[in-house]
Structures are given as structure tokens and as C-alpha cells.
Amino acid sequence: MTEINSVTTLTRDGDVAIVTLNSPPVNALSANVRDGLYEGFKQAIDSDAKAIVLICEGRTFIAGADITEFGGAMKGASLPDVQAMMENSPKPVVAAIHGTALGGGLEVALCAHYRVAVPSARLGLPEVNLGLLPGAGGTQRLPRIAGVEKALEMVTSGRHAPAKEALAMGLVDELVEEGKLKDGAVAFARKLVAENKPLVKVRENNAKLEEAKGKPEIFAEFRKKNARKFRGFLAPEYNIRCIEAAVNSNSFEEGLAVERKLFMELMTGPQSAAQRYYFFAERTAQKIPDVPDDTPTRPVKKVGVLGAGTMGGGIAMNFLNVGIPVTIVELKQDALDRGLATIRKNYERSRGAVPEQTEQRMSLLTGSLSMDDFADCDLIIEAVFERMDIKKDVFAKLDGIAKPGAILATNTSYLNIDEIASATKRPQDVIGLHFFSPANVMKLLEVIRADHTAKDVIATSMKLAKQIGKVAVLAGVCPGFIGNRMLSQRQREANKLVLEGAMPWDIDRVLYDFGFPMGPFAMSDLAGLDIGWVKENSKGETLRDVLCEMDRRGQKTGAGFYDYDENRTAKPSPVTEKIIQDFRAKKGINARTISDEEILERCIYPMINEGAKILEEGKAIRPSDIDVVWVNGYGWPVYRGGPMHYGDFVGPDKVLAKMKEFQGAMGDDFKPAALLEKLVAEGKKFSDLKA
Ligand code: TC6
């Protein structure tokens, strides 16, 4: 065995040389790995071996470029040098793939002459999710193997294709038995030598590109079909342009030059910076300083859910999906029947639904009318009406029913969890698990730590969140926690702006153009204006009161802030406009023209300011956690990183100056957070704050 460097070895299996990488956690292409590959291949080529296998130790094949190195100075062998060394090898090179071959990892594998993989492996070019494109020849080689249409789909979705599909695409040449990758790859390499197979260079294979030449409609249609999905993002369009260049260029090198230029543009732009920041933000959110990774967790083998409404049902589905049995309890038989039927319907209607799977999941679900049936549950989540007296009553009862050590969770979106916990004699077992509606779809889970919540309860909740496919963020107890607390700032300003002179559709348009999937008024119409509205208490004092009284309750009644046609297409409503004008007149407000810039600043800066208050009160661990909440739970465009990243992008000094200006003109809704003042005074940014 030759040790090439700290992460690379060169060994022999008879006449086959084996270059092995071992650079945990994911064998990313750091300078060290590139150096090891370059030198390893050089020595293998110079040796008397007849073929060369590239394989990785640990959980995965190369999972991509080392993202932590982006933006810094390039050190070590360059990736193109490594690729050229492999591709020009006079002996067959075989990449042996397990785990994932992603991004730069797949681009390396595409410079091998052949690829083998175990069935559980996945292959993809996910750079688009980092606001990038595969800048090491991926956009030029993938269409040469998989064809233009498949390549377009792969690079713009970033999807990880399973090995079997990769085999069908031609990305992989042979599947080898799970657990026997090295032997399989060596045997494959030997066969190549014995049969004198050609050294296939993907770059020379133009047949699939020829098929797409002179057919610009392929690209036009692809753009049109995905316009909504790609809206606001630069990277998908740049990826498409690279594949267009592959088809239209006169040589591989010409296409490669386009790829390199567009890659650099993305790499140095703000969108990719935000998306790369966000990649690490999501992973950092899982780290809780005083609850280390090795904190013991409690086993959760059975879950209880109180309330079979939309929320309770959605919550239950998360656990059924991963094979955890659920007992769901309702007060009345008809509500329970409705809840169970809705869960079944959701399964039956879901994409790719398979009847056996639906039955299997439903078989894990037990409906009951008695909370006593929670006695054997390890975790009980209540999703009942948002009223403190009701919640306290529920928790007092759960205290009497739940087994010792069971976790008692509330799905409240704003109530004080310390107070809820005080209804039990085991506040250490009480935690908030704030799911977002629809709970079986939305990725975000706010995990709320109350004063007495035990560390192992937090560790268990974070781990369980990952198991059910959620992105969990830890928050402290405060009204609305992280997400809704900041949302209320935006909502307040949006409502004020309407009174001052903007129309709901003006505000929605500005926020939509910023990158949100919809603005606050379209959102209200979708959710229903009458959520939490009680007819008997309505005094016609707010716009919402008036609209609800007129039975304009949102999309479901065909009208709300907007008018809707039969396809639910929203149109600005003259009725709403008149109501708003009357409202202003009644209050003696003279409407003024409000610029788009003011709308954006009024809606967004108070959110950033509130985020700063949340941080100074210690209700979020770090600024990036707040960003994870907003990207996953509220549709904040990931290419803007999140509100706190955006605050840094704009500049905390500019946010502070505007808050002061607004405060002077409109009062203390805009009172700057002490932390914001402090950051500006010290010339710092939110990203300088360490947890
Ligand atoms: C590219 O290749 C561009 C090429 C152009 C040519 C110039 N770099 O996700 P996990 C860390 S762009 C550095 O929790 P999993 C991660 O931060 C890249 N670090 O594990 C975490 O660290 P921590 C294209 C990375 O098993 C640890 O590894 N490639 C990288 O749930 C474990 O990660 C991608 O976009 C990296 N590339 O999922 C793939 N990747 O423990 C990105 C991971 O200190 N990676 N880390 O917190 C993934 O999608 C997933 O990590 C995974 C493994 C599917 C590989």
C-alpha cells in the first residue's frame, strides 16, 4: 500500500490499481483530496497496473466540491487537472460509486471511462440548489450521456437519481452487489482489460447532442414549463444556457468556456452566496450548544395526537409515514370519523399513491374517543383549540394519564408553554412542537424549549424531527415564537400601509416580486379571512370585519380582498377598493402615494428588527436559525438567504437608519432593537454573532 497523502492511498489487487479516498464526512473535493487524486492517478498510470479503480471509504463517494472552500483562494491541484489526468489515462479508469456521487463528485466520475455503482447509490448535479451550476464540465458531459432533455431536468432540479435510473440513463455502466463494491469494480475493470474495451471519453460522444441540434423549441418549452418554479432564481436559467451551449458549440472546449464563465458569474453573485449560506444554516440549526450530539434520547415507539382536525391529522401522518404507530383522540365520534377519513383521503390523493402503502399506514393508526388510550404513548402532541384554559385542562389530564417519561408536547403557535407546563407535575417533560399547516407537507418544525424542558426531551425532539423529514429549529418561549412573532410585524405594517394609501394588491405585488410565493393579502384570502373571526364580536372596526360581514371571506366564498373567477384567479376588487376608501374617509385619512420601496422597507425592516430582539432575548440561538424558520415556514426566497442574511446584505446600518427615520415619522412600532444599535456601533453584522 502506498500512502499518497493523509486522505488518499494507492493499493493493488493483482493487475488493478486502486485509488482510495478517505476524507470524512463526505469525501468532498478539498485541496487535499484533489492533490491526493492527482498524485494517486499519476502513480497508478506510471505503474504496471492494467486498469485503475477509484473508490471511497466511509458513507459516500465524493459528494461534491468542498463548499467551505468556495470564495477563498484556490490551493492544490485544480479539478480540471485531476479530470484530465483521469480522462487521458492510457489504462481504463473505473469509478466505483456508493452513497452519493454529487456535483463535482459526479463530474469526476464522468471523467472515468466507466462507472459502476451499488443499487443504493444516488447520482446527481445538485449545484443549482447552491445557486450554482456544475462548473467542472458537468453541463457539457451530462447531456452527452443522458441526452438534452434528461440533462435539463437533472441540472435544474438538482435531483439525486437512484442507481437503477442512472443505469438506464447510461450514467452508470453496471450495478454491482450491495456491500461488494470493491470486488465488483475490480472484476469489472479486469473484464474491460480482457475484452480490450475502448477508453470511453464522454467528451467525445456527440451523438445525443446532434439529436437536439436545430431544435431550439426544446429549450423554449422547458423554460416555459418551469417558469413558475424558476421564478426569481438565476441558477436554473444559467444551467439551461450551458446545455444550450453544449448543443450549439463547435467543440467541447467552446461549451466548457461558456460553462466556466457562467459558473464564475454565479459564484461571485449574491444569490449563490445566500444559498450556500443557507445550506450550512440548515445544518447548523441542528446544533444546540448545551445539548450536545451525544445527549441521550428517549425512545419514541408510539405517538398520541389529541385533535383529529386538519392540524392533528397532518401531524399524525408524519409519524405513520415512517412506521411509528399513532393513537389519535377526538371528543366526538363524527369528528373522529371525519378526521380518519381525511387522513385516508390525503394518502389516496398523494402523488404516486400505492393502495398497499395507504393500507399499511392506516393500519398503524388507531382512533379513539378516550385520552386514556394515550397511556402507552411515548410522545403525546395536543392540537386542540388555542385557548390557555383549554390547554391547561388538557395538560392536567395528560399528566394523570401519560406513563412516566412520556414527552408531552403542545402544538400551540403562540401561547406561553411555561404556563401550560405548570398544569402538570412534570414540566421537564413538556415541550412545544409547532408544526406548520399542512403539517404533513411543510418542512419547518419550531421546537420550543420552556423553562424546565429537560435536555433529553429537546434532543429527542430534534432527532425525531429529522426522522420524519422536518427541519427543526429551537426557539424559546415568547408570543409567536420566532416565525409568527416576526410575521406579526409584517402584517401590522401591511395593514397600516393600506390605510395610508396602498392597495392590498400593491403590497402583494411588491412582496411577490421580492420572491415570496404570495403576499399577505392573497395569503389571507387563501387561508380564509374568518379564521379566528367571531361574527357576534365583529364591530366593523377593521377591514377584515367589514369584508367578513359582507361574506367576503376569501377564496372559499369567491371573494375576499380580491375577487376570484371560477378558476380561482385573483383580480383586484373594486368592491374592496371602495370599502378601503370609505374606511379611510371615516377615519379622516388622506390617502398618499406610497412607493414600492417604502412598501418593501416597511414590511421587511421591522421583521429584521424583531429578529434582532428575538436574538437579544435569547429566544433564538443564532441569526441563521431565524433564516431557517423563514425559508422553510414562510416562503422567504432562499436566494435571499432569510431575513437576517438579507439584513446583512442590505447592511445593518441602512436598516437601522430607516427604522429611526420611520420611528421619527410614525412612532415606536419602529423602535430599533438594542442589538441592532450595538451591531451598527461596532461596525458588525448579524453573521458576526456566534452562538
Ligand atoms: C459542487 O460540487 C460544485 C462543483 C463545481 C466545480 C468547481 N462540502 O448533509 P449532512 C458536510 S457544489 C463541505 O448532514 P447527510 C455538512 O456540512 C457541491 N461540507 O449529511 C455536514 O457537516 P457537519 C455539490 C459538506 O448524510 C456533513 O458534511 N454537492 C459538503 O444527511 C454531513 O452532511 C452538494 O451540493 C460539501 N460539499 O447528507 C452536496 N456536503 O457534520 C451537498 C456535506 O459539520 N451535500 N458537507 O454539520 C449533501 O447534499 C449532503 O451532505 C449529503 C449527505 C447527501 C452528501
Side-chain angles (χ1 to χ4, degrees), residues 25-26 28 59 63-67 70 100 102-104 107 126-127 130 135-136 263 279-280 283 287:
V26 295
R59 66 213 248 198
D66 187 337
I67 309 167
F70 286 177
T100 48
L102 299 177
E107 291 174 297
E127 284 87 343
L130 299 169
F263 177 79
F279 175 86
F280 289 111
R283 283 157 178 82
K287 301 183 170 101

PDB file of all heavy atoms in Angstrom, residues 25-26 28 59 63-67 70 100 102-104 107 126-127 130 135-136 263 279-280 283 287, ligand 1:
ATOM      1  N   PRO A  25     -16.447  14.167   6.377  1.00  0.00           N
ATOM      2  CA  PRO A  25     -17.574  13.230   6.402  1.00  0.00           C
ATOM      3  C   PRO A  25     -18.034  12.761   5.020  1.00  0.00           C
ATOM      4  O   PRO A  25     -18.601  11.677   4.921  1.00  0.00           O
ATOM      5  CB  PRO A  25     -18.694  14.065   7.063  1.00  0.00           C
ATOM      6  CG  PRO A  25     -18.329  15.491   6.788  1.00  0.00           C
ATOM      7  CD  PRO A  25     -16.843  15.550   6.684  1.00  0.00           C
ATOM      8  N   VAL A  26     -17.805  13.531   3.952  1.00  0.00           N
ATOM      9  CA  VAL A  26     -18.455  13.168   2.686  1.00  0.00           C
ATOM     10  C   VAL A  26     -17.479  13.121   1.501  1.00  0.00           C
ATOM     11  O   VAL A  26     -17.892  13.175   0.358  1.00  0.00           O
ATOM     12  CB  VAL A  26     -19.648  14.115   2.365  1.00  0.00           C
ATOM     13  CG1 VAL A  26     -20.751  13.966   3.394  1.00  0.00           C
ATOM     14  CG2 VAL A  26     -19.208  15.566   2.246  1.00  0.00           C
ATOM     15  N   ALA A  28     -15.618  15.294   0.288  1.00  0.00           N
ATOM     16  CA  ALA A  28     -15.722  16.479  -0.578  1.00  0.00           C
ATOM     17  C   ALA A  28     -14.355  16.798  -1.169  1.00  0.00           C
ATOM     18  O   ALA A  28     -13.312  16.487  -0.587  1.00  0.00           O
ATOM     19  CB  ALA A  28     -16.245  17.674   0.226  1.00  0.00           C
ATOM     20  N   ARG A  59     -19.128   6.871   4.322  1.00  0.00           N
ATOM     21  CA  ARG A  59     -20.532   6.749   3.973  1.00  0.00           C
ATOM     22  C   ARG A  59     -20.838   6.993   2.510  1.00  0.00           C
ATOM     23  O   ARG A  59     -21.928   6.686   2.054  1.00  0.00           O
ATOM     24  CB  ARG A  59     -21.375   7.674   4.857  1.00  0.00           C
ATOM     25  CG  ARG A  59     -21.110   9.149   4.635  1.00  0.00           C
ATOM     26  CD  ARG A  59     -21.295   9.886   5.935  1.00  0.00           C
ATOM     27  NE  ARG A  59     -22.464  10.766   5.924  1.00  0.00           N
ATOM     28  CZ  ARG A  59     -22.601  11.750   6.803  1.00  0.00           C
ATOM     29  NH1 ARG A  59     -21.684  11.948   7.734  1.00  0.00           N
ATOM     30  NH2 ARG A  59     -23.641  12.525   6.761  1.00  0.00           N
ATOM     31  N   ALA A  63     -19.054  13.649  -2.513  1.00  0.00           N
ATOM     32  CA  ALA A  63     -20.367  14.312  -2.525  1.00  0.00           C
ATOM     33  C   ALA A  63     -20.299  15.718  -3.101  1.00  0.00           C
ATOM     34  O   ALA A  63     -21.246  16.488  -2.972  1.00  0.00           O
ATOM     35  CB  ALA A  63     -20.965  14.347  -1.119  1.00  0.00           C
ATOM     36  N   GLY A  64     -19.179  16.072  -3.739  1.00  0.00           N
ATOM     37  CA  GLY A  64     -19.117  17.374  -4.401  1.00  0.00           C
ATOM     38  C   GLY A  64     -17.875  18.149  -4.059  1.00  0.00           C
ATOM     39  O   GLY A  64     -17.008  17.675  -3.308  1.00  0.00           O
ATOM     40  N   ALA A  65     -17.814  19.361  -4.615  1.00  0.00           N
ATOM     41  CA  ALA A  65     -16.735  20.272  -4.238  1.00  0.00           C
ATOM     42  C   ALA A  65     -16.864  20.548  -2.743  1.00  0.00           C
ATOM     43  O   ALA A  65     -17.931  20.355  -2.159  1.00  0.00           O
ATOM     44  CB  ALA A  65     -16.864  21.566  -5.034  1.00  0.00           C
ATOM     45  N   ASP A  66     -15.795  20.977  -2.115  1.00  0.00           N
ATOM     46  CA  ASP A  66     -15.862  21.347  -0.696  1.00  0.00           C
ATOM     47  C   ASP A  66     -16.406  22.766  -0.610  1.00  0.00           C
ATOM     48  O   ASP A  66     -15.702  23.732  -0.926  1.00  0.00           O
ATOM     49  CB  ASP A  66     -14.464  21.250  -0.074  1.00  0.00           C
ATOM     50  CG  ASP A  66     -14.518  21.463   1.427  1.00  0.00           C
ATOM     51  OD1 ASP A  66     -15.489  22.096   1.902  1.00  0.00           O
ATOM     52  OD2 ASP A  66     -13.608  20.996   2.130  1.00  0.00           O
ATOM     53  N   ILE A  67     -17.652  22.870  -0.191  1.00  0.00           N
ATOM     54  CA  ILE A  67     -18.327  24.177  -0.230  1.00  0.00           C
ATOM     55  C   ILE A  67     -17.651  25.179   0.706  1.00  0.00           C
ATOM     56  O   ILE A  67     -17.683  26.379   0.473  1.00  0.00           O
ATOM     57  CB  ILE A  67     -19.824  24.031   0.129  1.00  0.00           C
ATOM     58  CG1 ILE A  67     -20.472  22.922  -0.721  1.00  0.00           C
ATOM     59  CG2 ILE A  67     -20.577  25.326  -0.109  1.00  0.00           C
ATOM     60  CD1 ILE A  67     -21.835  22.502  -0.233  1.00  0.00           C
ATOM     61  N   PHE A  70     -15.235  27.484  -1.056  1.00  0.00           N
ATOM     62  CA  PHE A  70     -15.686  28.459  -2.053  1.00  0.00           C
ATOM     63  C   PHE A  70     -15.442  29.880  -1.553  1.00  0.00           C
ATOM     64  O   PHE A  70     -15.658  30.175  -0.389  1.00  0.00           O
ATOM     65  CB  PHE A  70     -17.189  28.296  -2.348  1.00  0.00           C
ATOM     66  CG  PHE A  70     -17.512  27.083  -3.186  1.00  0.00           C
ATOM     67  CD1 PHE A  70     -18.827  26.770  -3.484  1.00  0.00           C
ATOM     68  CD2 PHE A  70     -16.518  26.269  -3.691  1.00  0.00           C
ATOM     69  CE1 PHE A  70     -19.142  25.657  -4.256  1.00  0.00           C
ATOM     70  CE2 PHE A  70     -16.820  25.156  -4.465  1.00  0.00           C
ATOM     71  CZ  PHE A  70     -18.137  24.848  -4.743  1.00  0.00           C
ATOM     72  N   THR A 100     -23.466   8.705  -2.329  1.00  0.00           N
ATOM     73  CA  THR A 100     -23.875   9.669  -3.353  1.00  0.00           C
ATOM     74  C   THR A 100     -22.664  10.124  -4.172  1.00  0.00           C
ATOM     75  O   THR A 100     -21.592  10.319  -3.626  1.00  0.00           O
ATOM     76  CB  THR A 100     -24.493  10.931  -2.700  1.00  0.00           C
ATOM     77  OG1 THR A 100     -23.630  11.360  -1.645  1.00  0.00           O
ATOM     78  CG2 THR A 100     -25.874  10.665  -2.148  1.00  0.00           C
ATOM     79  N   LEU A 102     -22.159  13.315  -6.138  1.00  0.00           N
ATOM     80  CA  LEU A 102     -22.887  14.563  -6.375  1.00  0.00           C
ATOM     81  C   LEU A 102     -21.950  15.663  -6.870  1.00  0.00           C
ATOM     82  O   LEU A 102     -20.777  15.705  -6.488  1.00  0.00           O
ATOM     83  CB  LEU A 102     -23.548  15.040  -5.075  1.00  0.00           C
ATOM     84  CG  LEU A 102     -24.573  14.098  -4.443  1.00  0.00           C
ATOM     85  CD1 LEU A 102     -25.089  14.683  -3.129  1.00  0.00           C
ATOM     86  CD2 LEU A 102     -25.734  13.844  -5.392  1.00  0.00           C
ATOM     87  N   GLY A 103     -22.504  16.552  -7.676  1.00  0.00           N
ATOM     88  CA  GLY A 103     -21.773  17.742  -8.107  1.00  0.00           C
ATOM     89  C   GLY A 103     -20.402  17.382  -8.658  1.00  0.00           C
ATOM     90  O   GLY A 103     -20.259  16.485  -9.501  1.00  0.00           O
ATOM     91  N   GLY A 104     -19.374  18.055  -8.112  1.00  0.00           N
ATOM     92  CA  GLY A 104     -18.008  17.789  -8.540  1.00  0.00           C
ATOM     93  C   GLY A 104     -17.656  16.303  -8.448  1.00  0.00           C
ATOM     94  O   GLY A 104     -16.825  15.811  -9.213  1.00  0.00           O
ATOM     95  N   GLU A 107     -18.940  14.825 -11.486  1.00  0.00           N
ATOM     96  CA  GLU A 107     -18.131  15.345 -12.597  1.00  0.00           C
ATOM     97  C   GLU A 107     -16.775  14.637 -12.685  1.00  0.00           C
ATOM     98  O   GLU A 107     -16.246  14.432 -13.778  1.00  0.00           O
ATOM     99  CB  GLU A 107     -17.952  16.866 -12.449  1.00  0.00           C
ATOM    100  CG  GLU A 107     -19.268  17.606 -12.675  1.00  0.00           C
ATOM    101  CD  GLU A 107     -19.155  19.091 -12.404  1.00  0.00           C
ATOM    102  OE1 GLU A 107     -18.877  19.443 -11.240  1.00  0.00           O
ATOM    103  OE2 GLU A 107     -19.319  19.885 -13.343  1.00  0.00           O
ATOM    104  N   PRO A 126     -26.416  18.633  -7.972  1.00  0.00           N
ATOM    105  CA  PRO A 126     -27.303  19.485  -7.179  1.00  0.00           C
ATOM    106  C   PRO A 126     -26.831  20.932  -7.035  1.00  0.00           C
ATOM    107  O   PRO A 126     -27.364  21.674  -6.215  1.00  0.00           O
ATOM    108  CB  PRO A 126     -27.296  18.781  -5.815  1.00  0.00           C
ATOM    109  CG  PRO A 126     -25.933  18.182  -5.719  1.00  0.00           C
ATOM    110  CD  PRO A 126     -25.517  17.831  -7.122  1.00  0.00           C
ATOM    111  N   GLU A 127     -25.853  21.347  -7.848  1.00  0.00           N
ATOM    112  CA  GLU A 127     -25.296  22.705  -7.695  1.00  0.00           C
ATOM    113  C   GLU A 127     -26.370  23.783  -7.742  1.00  0.00           C
ATOM    114  O   GLU A 127     -26.257  24.823  -7.098  1.00  0.00           O
ATOM    115  CB  GLU A 127     -24.257  22.977  -8.784  1.00  0.00           C
ATOM    116  CG  GLU A 127     -22.916  22.301  -8.556  1.00  0.00           C
ATOM    117  CD  GLU A 127     -22.851  20.893  -9.108  1.00  0.00           C
ATOM    118  OE1 GLU A 127     -23.925  20.302  -9.376  1.00  0.00           O
ATOM    119  OE2 GLU A 127     -21.732  20.378  -9.271  1.00  0.00           O
ATOM    120  N   LEU A 130     -27.413  25.329  -4.716  1.00  0.00           N
ATOM    121  CA  LEU A 130     -26.470  26.252  -4.078  1.00  0.00           C
ATOM    122  C   LEU A 130     -26.341  27.511  -4.927  1.00  0.00           C
ATOM    123  O   LEU A 130     -25.402  28.289  -4.782  1.00  0.00           O
ATOM    124  CB  LEU A 130     -25.091  25.586  -3.933  1.00  0.00           C
ATOM    125  CG  LEU A 130     -25.039  24.315  -3.074  1.00  0.00           C
ATOM    126  CD1 LEU A 130     -23.696  23.617  -3.230  1.00  0.00           C
ATOM    127  CD2 LEU A 130     -25.279  24.648  -1.611  1.00  0.00           C
ATOM    128  N   GLY A 135     -19.732  23.293 -12.606  1.00  0.00           N
ATOM    129  CA  GLY A 135     -18.725  24.069 -13.327  1.00  0.00           C
ATOM    130  C   GLY A 135     -17.471  23.294 -13.679  1.00  0.00           C
ATOM    131  O   GLY A 135     -16.460  23.874 -14.035  1.00  0.00           O
ATOM    132  N   ALA A 136     -17.531  21.976 -13.566  1.00  0.00           N
ATOM    133  CA  ALA A 136     -16.353  21.179 -13.937  1.00  0.00           C
ATOM    134  C   ALA A 136     -16.725  20.228 -15.073  1.00  0.00           C
ATOM    135  O   ALA A 136     -16.419  19.039 -15.048  1.00  0.00           O
ATOM    136  CB  ALA A 136     -15.824  20.418 -12.727  1.00  0.00           C
ATOM    137  N   PHE A 263     -20.427  29.964 -14.613  1.00  0.00           N
ATOM    138  CA  PHE A 263     -20.178  29.476 -13.253  1.00  0.00           C
ATOM    139  C   PHE A 263     -19.584  30.593 -12.392  1.00  0.00           C
ATOM    140  O   PHE A 263     -20.031  30.849 -11.275  1.00  0.00           O
ATOM    141  CB  PHE A 263     -19.225  28.269 -13.288  1.00  0.00           C
ATOM    142  CG  PHE A 263     -18.854  27.757 -11.923  1.00  0.00           C
ATOM    143  CD1 PHE A 263     -19.728  26.949 -11.200  1.00  0.00           C
ATOM    144  CD2 PHE A 263     -17.634  28.087 -11.334  1.00  0.00           C
ATOM    145  CE1 PHE A 263     -19.395  26.490  -9.937  1.00  0.00           C
ATOM    146  CE2 PHE A 263     -17.294  27.638 -10.068  1.00  0.00           C
ATOM    147  CZ  PHE A 263     -18.176  26.832  -9.371  1.00  0.00           C
ATOM    148  N   PHE A 279     -27.353  26.603   3.030  1.00  0.00           N
ATOM    149  CA  PHE A 279     -27.014  25.167   3.141  1.00  0.00           C
ATOM    150  C   PHE A 279     -26.443  24.883   4.536  1.00  0.00           C
ATOM    151  O   PHE A 279     -26.850  23.952   5.217  1.00  0.00           O
ATOM    152  CB  PHE A 279     -25.997  24.795   2.055  1.00  0.00           C
ATOM    153  CG  PHE A 279     -25.484  23.380   2.133  1.00  0.00           C
ATOM    154  CD1 PHE A 279     -26.184  22.345   1.525  1.00  0.00           C
ATOM    155  CD2 PHE A 279     -24.309  23.076   2.814  1.00  0.00           C
ATOM    156  CE1 PHE A 279     -25.718  21.029   1.593  1.00  0.00           C
ATOM    157  CE2 PHE A 279     -23.843  21.757   2.889  1.00  0.00           C
ATOM    158  CZ  PHE A 279     -24.548  20.739   2.274  1.00  0.00           C
ATOM    159  N   PHE A 280     -25.514  25.717   4.969  1.00  0.00           N
ATOM    160  CA  PHE A 280     -24.908  25.498   6.284  1.00  0.00           C
ATOM    161  C   PHE A 280     -25.845  25.933   7.418  1.00  0.00           C
ATOM    162  O   PHE A 280     -25.827  25.341   8.489  1.00  0.00           O
ATOM    163  CB  PHE A 280     -23.546  26.202   6.377  1.00  0.00           C
ATOM    164  CG  PHE A 280     -22.501  25.537   5.525  1.00  0.00           C
ATOM    165  CD1 PHE A 280     -21.994  26.150   4.394  1.00  0.00           C
ATOM    166  CD2 PHE A 280     -22.058  24.253   5.830  1.00  0.00           C
ATOM    167  CE1 PHE A 280     -21.049  25.507   3.586  1.00  0.00           C
ATOM    168  CE2 PHE A 280     -21.111  23.602   5.036  1.00  0.00           C
ATOM    169  CZ  PHE A 280     -20.613  24.234   3.908  1.00  0.00           C
ATOM    170  N   ARG A 283     -27.975  23.084   8.508  1.00  0.00           N
ATOM    171  CA  ARG A 283     -27.245  22.064   9.257  1.00  0.00           C
ATOM    172  C   ARG A 283     -26.827  22.586  10.638  1.00  0.00           C
ATOM    173  O   ARG A 283     -26.876  21.863  11.624  1.00  0.00           O
ATOM    174  CB  ARG A 283     -26.039  21.587   8.447  1.00  0.00           C
ATOM    175  CG  ARG A 283     -26.512  20.644   7.352  1.00  0.00           C
ATOM    176  CD  ARG A 283     -25.600  20.515   6.169  1.00  0.00           C
ATOM    177  NE  ARG A 283     -26.156  19.549   5.230  1.00  0.00           N
ATOM    178  CZ  ARG A 283     -27.100  19.826   4.335  1.00  0.00           C
ATOM    179  NH1 ARG A 283     -27.620  21.029   4.268  1.00  0.00           N
ATOM    180  NH2 ARG A 283     -27.571  18.889   3.527  1.00  0.00           N
ATOM    181  N   LYS A 287     -27.532  22.111  15.758  1.00  0.00           N
ATOM    182  CA  LYS A 287     -26.548  22.092  16.847  1.00  0.00           C
ATOM    183  C   LYS A 287     -26.989  23.021  17.985  1.00  0.00           C
ATOM    184  O   LYS A 287     -27.167  24.220  17.770  1.00  0.00           O
ATOM    185  CB  LYS A 287     -25.165  22.492  16.319  1.00  0.00           C
ATOM    186  CG  LYS A 287     -24.723  21.543  15.208  1.00  0.00           C
ATOM    187  CD  LYS A 287     -23.319  21.851  14.695  1.00  0.00           C
ATOM    188  CE  LYS A 287     -22.845  20.734  13.784  1.00  0.00           C
ATOM    189  NZ  LYS A 287     -22.914  20.974  12.373  1.00  0.00           N
TER     190      LYS A 287
HETATM  191  C1  TC6 B   1     -20.001  21.417  -6.461  1.00  0.00           C
HETATM  192  O1  TC6 B   1     -19.675  20.281  -6.401  1.00  0.00           O
HETATM  193  C2  TC6 B   1     -19.557  22.336  -7.487  1.00  0.00           C
HETATM  194  C3  TC6 B   1     -18.676  21.922  -8.422  1.00  0.00           C
HETATM  195  C4  TC6 B   1     -18.226  22.849  -9.398  1.00  0.00           C
HETATM  196  C5  TC6 B   1     -16.793  22.630  -9.696  1.00  0.00           C
HETATM  197  C6  TC6 B   1     -15.851  23.700  -9.229  1.00  0.00           C
HETATM  198  N1  TC6 B   1     -18.680  20.486   1.245  1.00  0.00           N
HETATM  199  O2  TC6 B   1     -25.897  16.834   4.991  1.00  0.00           O
HETATM  200  P1  TC6 B   1     -25.209  16.130   6.080  1.00  0.00           P
HETATM  201  C7  TC6 B   1     -20.862  18.465   5.441  1.00  0.00           C
HETATM  202  S1  TC6 B   1     -21.025  22.110  -5.343  1.00  0.00           S
HETATM  203  C8  TC6 B   1     -18.373  20.662   2.537  1.00  0.00           C
HETATM  204  O3  TC6 B   1     -25.613  16.432   7.469  1.00  0.00           O
HETATM  205  P2  TC6 B   1     -26.324  13.606   5.157  1.00  0.00           P
HETATM  206  C9  TC6 B   1     -22.085  19.033   6.119  1.00  0.00           C
HETATM  207  O4  TC6 B   1     -21.974  20.405   6.341  1.00  0.00           O
HETATM  208  C10 TC6 B   1     -21.364  20.794  -4.200  1.00  0.00           C
HETATM  209  N2  TC6 B   1     -19.047  20.084   3.545  1.00  0.00           N
HETATM  210  O5  TC6 B   1     -25.247  14.536   5.880  1.00  0.00           O
HETATM  211  C11 TC6 B   1     -22.099  18.244   7.412  1.00  0.00           C
HETATM  212  O6  TC6 B   1     -21.143  18.807   8.276  1.00  0.00           O
HETATM  213  P3  TC6 B   1     -21.378  18.831   9.849  1.00  0.00           P
HETATM  214  C12 TC6 B   1     -22.302  19.831  -4.777  1.00  0.00           C
HETATM  215  C13 TC6 B   1     -20.082  19.300   3.228  1.00  0.00           C
HETATM  216  O7  TC6 B   1     -25.833  12.229   5.300  1.00  0.00           O
HETATM  217  C14 TC6 B   1     -21.592  16.876   6.995  1.00  0.00           C
HETATM  218  O8  TC6 B   1     -20.890  17.091   5.762  1.00  0.00           O
HETATM  219  N3  TC6 B   1     -22.648  18.880  -3.764  1.00  0.00           N
HETATM  220  C15 TC6 B   1     -20.458  19.076   1.896  1.00  0.00           C
HETATM  221  O9  TC6 B   1     -27.678  13.984   5.636  1.00  0.00           O
HETATM  222  C16 TC6 B   1     -22.689  15.869   6.768  1.00  0.00           C
HETATM  223  O10 TC6 B   1     -23.648  16.415   5.880  1.00  0.00           O
HETATM  224  C17 TC6 B   1     -23.684  19.090  -2.965  1.00  0.00           C
HETATM  225  O11 TC6 B   1     -24.386  20.060  -3.071  1.00  0.00           O
HETATM  226  C18 TC6 B   1     -19.697  19.704   0.876  1.00  0.00           C
HETATM  227  N4  TC6 B   1     -19.993  19.518  -0.424  1.00  0.00           N
HETATM  228  O12 TC6 B   1     -26.254  14.015   3.629  1.00  0.00           O
HETATM  229  C19 TC6 B   1     -23.940  18.013  -1.947  1.00  0.00           C
HETATM  230  N5  TC6 B   1     -21.518  18.240   1.871  1.00  0.00           N
HETATM  231  O13 TC6 B   1     -21.494  17.392  10.247  1.00  0.00           O
HETATM  232  C20 TC6 B   1     -24.144  18.625  -0.608  1.00  0.00           C
HETATM  233  C21 TC6 B   1     -21.782  17.950   3.150  1.00  0.00           C
HETATM  234  O14 TC6 B   1     -20.161  19.532  10.354  1.00  0.00           O
HETATM  235  N6  TC6 B   1     -24.293  17.637   0.425  1.00  0.00           N
HETATM  236  N7  TC6 B   1     -20.924  18.576   3.979  1.00  0.00           N
HETATM  237  O15 TC6 B   1     -22.652  19.606  10.052  1.00  0.00           O
HETATM  238  C22 TC6 B   1     -25.424  16.911   0.621  1.00  0.00           C
HETATM  239  O16 TC6 B   1     -26.387  17.001  -0.114  1.00  0.00           O
HETATM  240  C23 TC6 B   1     -25.470  16.019   1.810  1.00  0.00           C
HETATM  241  O17 TC6 B   1     -24.483  16.448   2.706  1.00  0.00           O
HETATM  242  C24 TC6 B   1     -25.225  14.509   1.513  1.00  0.00           C
HETATM  243  C25 TC6 B   1     -25.130  13.744   2.863  1.00  0.00           C
HETATM  244  C26 TC6 B   1     -26.388  13.979   0.685  1.00  0.00           C
HETATM  245  C27 TC6 B   1     -23.942  14.294   0.769  1.00  0.00           C
END
